[in-house]
Amino acid sequence: MQLLKLICLILLYIVGAFAYIICTVALVSIAVFIKVAALLLADKLLYSIFIIGDLFKGIEIVELLNILIFAILGMGFGVATWLLYPKLGRQTSAILLIISVPLIFISTPVVRYNLWLQTVGLEEVISPNQAEKLTNSFLDKRVGNQGFIGFYLYTAQFPILPTKKVQMDDLENFEKKVNSKFVQLIGIPPTFVTWLMAISFWCLRIFYFFIAAIATIAHFREGLRIVKR
């Protein structure tokens, strides 16, 4: 009888583990989907607005959704601990969240990078590999890094990306034109625009990540409290 109970208990925990995996994968997938969908929607409807759209793109306004997205993620992981062995549930969810939060947070810039490569390819009528080589050469000259890292560093300093080779070759003139839009909107001297953008955009990225982390932790604890009840 005791052996039967032990077998049933083991089977119960195995089923719970599979259910936990399904739930957590679904939560991460939903979080990424919402972030990517919001970015694509903003790219079509919000970022295309004259002058203001460039500002919204620079401050990555869609990242404000992090409050909702990571609140759902934290709550879901907290409640999902009910499916695992009590002593392991909390630790497992905490470790997975530590891994998942940065990856989910970085998903939108990754999508933006790939959209940029596609746009460059379409504008220059070149293959994806050629577009990647062209952008890598540009990023290497501008920030000393290629690929996504170079993209992330450049967009932290300057929000608008050149999509044509002629713009990349004459970057100084391209950036001056973009800066003039911000001067018209904000009304500050052009000499302060580049300096202000670099500081502001990095601070905003740190702020958005801080929001994501706090929302996740707070709602993860709330999820654990729900399980205890």
Side-chain angles (χ1 to χ4, degrees):
M1 192 68 178
Q2 290 183 348
L3 180 60
L4 181 61
K5 287 183 178 179
L6 180 60
I7 293 172
C8 290
L9 187 62
I10 292 172
L11 288 173
L12 182 64
Y13 282 131
I14 291 174
V15 172
F18 275 109
Y20 176 84
I21 292 171
I22 293 171
C23 288
T24 52
V25 169
L27 285 166
V28 172
S29 300
I30 290 169
V32 172
F33 174 79
I34 294 173
K35 283 177 70 66
V36 172
L39 173 63
L40 296 176
L41 191 63
D43 200 47
K44 287 186 176 181
L45 301 179
L46 191 61
Y47 294 160
S48 59
I49 300 173
F50 181 67
I51 298 180
I52 297 177
D54 293 337
L55 179 62
F56 284 155
K57 183 181 288 187
I59 64 176
E60 299 176 342
I61 197 167
V62 293
E63 294 298 332
L64 288 174
L65 279 173
N66 285 342
I67 299 174
L68 174 62
I69 293 169
F70 288 98
I72 295 172
L73 187 74
M75 178 75 75
F77 268 78
V79 173
T81 59
W82 175 76
L83 297 168
L84 296 178
Y85 185 68
K87 293 183 178 180
L88 295 176
R90 181 170 181 172
Q91 292 86 342
T92 302
S93 284
I95 292 170
L96 289 177
L97 281 175
I98 291 171
I99 297 170
S100 300
V101 169
L103 294 177
I104 295 170
F105 182 81
I106 209 74
S107 62
T108 41
V110 169
V111 173
R112 280 190 63 196
Y113 172 63
N114 283 282
L115 288 174
W116 179 49
L117 291 180
Q118 292 176 17
T119 304
V120 172
L122 291 173
E123 291 282 352
E124 291 294 321
V125 194
I126 54 179
S127 68
N129 287 337
Q130 290 173 320
E132 188 174 3
K133 288 180 181 179
L134 178 60
T135 55
N136 279 342
S137 176
F138 161 72
L139 293 170
D140 191 46
K141 291 178 182 178
R142 189 65 179 83
V143 294
N145 286 275
Q146 300 182 3
F148 173 72
I149 300 298
F151 166 85
Y152 197 71
L153 293 174
Y154 179 74
T155 51
Q157 302 173 13
F158 202 77
I160 311 304
L161 292 157
T163 56
K164 299 179 181 179
K165 188 176 185 301
V166 64
Q167 295 173 337
M168 297 179 191
D169 292 338
D170 191 14
L171 187 62
E172 184 177 351
N173 186 48
F174 172 74
E175 291 186 348
K176 280 182 180 179
K177 288 181 180 179
V178 176
N179 281 343
S180 65
K181 294 181 181 180
F182 286 98
V183 171
Q184 294 174 26
L185 181 65
I186 305 175
I188 61 175
T191 52
F192 289 100
V193 172
T194 303
W195 173 80
L196 181 63
M197 284 193 297
I199 293 178
S200 299
F201 295 158
W202 272 118
C203 288
L204 278 170
R205 286 181 175 182
I206 294 169
F207 173 69
Y208 289 143
F209 185 77
F210 181 76
I211 286 178
I214 293 299
T216 303
I217 294 169
H219 287 82
F220 176 61
R221 290 176 176 174
E222 183 62 29
L224 293 176
R225 282 195 287 267
I226 291 173
V227 171
K228 287 181 180 179
R229 293 172 193 167

